[in-house]
Amino acid sequence: MSQTIALYINGLNVRFGGFAAITDLTLEIRYGESRALIGPNGAGKTTLMDVITGKTRPNSGEVFLDRKLDLATRGEAEIARSGIGRKFQKPSVFEALPVAQNLELAVRRGLGWGEMVMSRLSVAQRERIEEVLVTIGLQEDRQRKAAELSHGQKQWLEIGMLLVAEPKVLLLDEPVAGMTEAESERTVELIASLRSPDRAIVVVEHDMEFVDRVADLVSVLHEGRLLGEGSMQAVRTNPKVIQVYLGR
Ligand SMILES: Nc1ncnc2c1ncn2[C@@H]1O[C@H](COP(=O)(O)OP(=O)(O)OP(=O)(O)O)[C@@H](O)[C@H]1O
Ligand SMILES: [Mg+2]
């Protein structure tokens, strides 16, 4: 592969007290790719996303965006503004607000309270919201309260709230957990539609069929270490991976 590296992670270590959550992790994720991170519970997948987004500071090692922005030293807000969008494991939309208003709030994310209340959306921002409503398949549901959406629709709305900012790195933590098969199927299509030469997508999932369909490359974590990496086919037949994860 010759694409530019989006995320460069080298020799990363994260400890919580005496517990090693991530140990000597080295990983390169390129623009244009869709990467899956898999591994048993507690493997360090969410912790890695926490480090990339500035929520958790590593004890040592390098974490760079575009080879130049040192994510280990930047705050969460700055990292988000620099183009890294992250969906947490639990959906966190504003249930009491209509779908469209959730997206409007996402457009205004990062503004102070005063600006948030006062500012009007630009034409470009309104157009972007319309585009995103179509992408996430919720244009008919724009006026419905988020609370009334199905679990799957809430997850798509949350992805939409990231898309308004046109992130170049999209981190999705267990996007199909709790979804019906049909919703999961639709999410495969959604993620495929988000792929672009200017974007890197990183998906954490336990659903291997889903991983097989969305990812070009799979990195397997186990107890904070990289256990294997390659195509789903290569990872599936890797004896170490079978032993700790897939063979269960
Ligand atoms: N803030 C924290 N303080 C202490 N321990 C933590 C903290 N965050 C995570 N851990 C521990 O680090 C390990 C890795 O957790 P992490 O959430 O990254 O796992 P995961 O791979 O996302 O697992 P899952 O598939 O269950 O979501 C776990 O043992 C967890 O208990
Ligand atoms: Mg997790």
Side-chain angles (χ1 to χ4, degrees):
M1 272 196 295
S2 61
Q3 297 102 310
T4 321
I5 292 175
L7 291 171
Y8 174 82
I9 294 154
N10 185 37
L12 185 70
N13 287 280
V14 179
R15 283 183 290 276
F16 296 113
F19 176 77
I22 293 181
T23 304
D24 288 335
L25 182 65
T26 293
L27 213 60
E28 287 176 1
I29 296 168
R30 288 163 200 271
Y31 285 110
E33 80 166 280
S34 171
R35 173 75 59 103
L37 285 179
I38 68 169
N41 297 117
K45 307 180 297 293
T46 298
T47 302
L48 179 59
M49 290 194 168
D50 289 344
V51 170
I52 293 168
T53 53
K55 190 165 185 264
T56 295
R57 292 283 177 228
N59 292 80
S60 62
E62 298 175 294
V63 192
F64 281 90
L65 173 65
D66 295 335
R67 288 265 185 199
K68 54 179 194 284
L69 187 69
D70 182 357
L71 300 175
T73 64
R74 305 304 168 112
E76 286 183 78
E78 185 184 354
I79 290 173
R81 279 197 303 276
S82 70
I84 298 184
R86 184 229 187 131
K87 201 194 85 58
F88 285 88
Q89 222 163 320
K90 289 200 183 105
S92 53
V93 297
F94 299 99
E95 301 255 344
L97 298 180
V99 166
Q101 227 175 308
N102 269 271
L103 296 173
E104 288 171 23
L105 276 178
V107 165
R108 295 183 164 107
R109 192 148 34 195
L111 294 183
W113 177 247
E115 291 168 281
M116 192 138 133
V117 177
M118 299 303 293
S119 73
R120 305 185 59 173
L121 294 177
S122 67
V123 172
Q125 286 171 323
R126 296 219 162 271
E127 281 172 2
R128 182 66 193 142
I129 288 175
E130 292 309 312
E131 249 173 54
V132 167
L133 280 167
V134 173
T135 304
I136 61 177
L138 292 179
Q139 66 275 44
E140 311 274 288
D141 303 282
R142 53 188 304 141
Q143 299 304 344
R144 287 175 69 202
K145 279 200 176 114
E148 295 166 11
L149 299 177
S150 73
H151 171 74
Q153 289 174 317
K154 283 181 194 171
Q155 299 275 31
W156 302 331
L157 175 56
E158 192 171 8
I159 292 173
M161 291 169 75
L162 303 175
L163 294 179
V164 291
E166 305 192 55
K168 51 187 180 182
V169 174
L170 196 53
L171 308 173
L172 304 173
D173 203 347
E174 303 200 16
V176 298
M179 281 192 182
T180 64
E181 211 162 302
E183 288 173 334
S184 183
E185 184 70 26
R186 167 72 188 107
T187 307
V188 170
E189 291 164 16
L190 173 59
I191 292 176
S193 78
L194 301 181
R195 295 187 58 148
S196 140
D198 305 317
R199 177 176 288 149
I201 301 177
V202 182
V203 184
V204 167
E205 249 309 329
H206 289 286
D207 178 338
M208 286 309 117
E209 199 189 312
F210 175 81
V211 166
D212 192 21
R213 298 189 54 195
V214 299
D216 315 307
L217 276 176
V218 180
S219 299
V220 190
L221 296 185
H222 175 53
E223 296 178 348
R225 291 175 188 272
L226 187 66
L227 191 69
E229 195 167 270
S231 65
M232 189 67 210
Q233 182 55 26
V235 156
R236 227 180 222 144
T237 52
N238 177 329
K240 284 195 284 186
V241 177
I242 293 170
Q243 192 186 351
V244 307
Y245 189 47
L246 298 177
R248 293 175 312 167

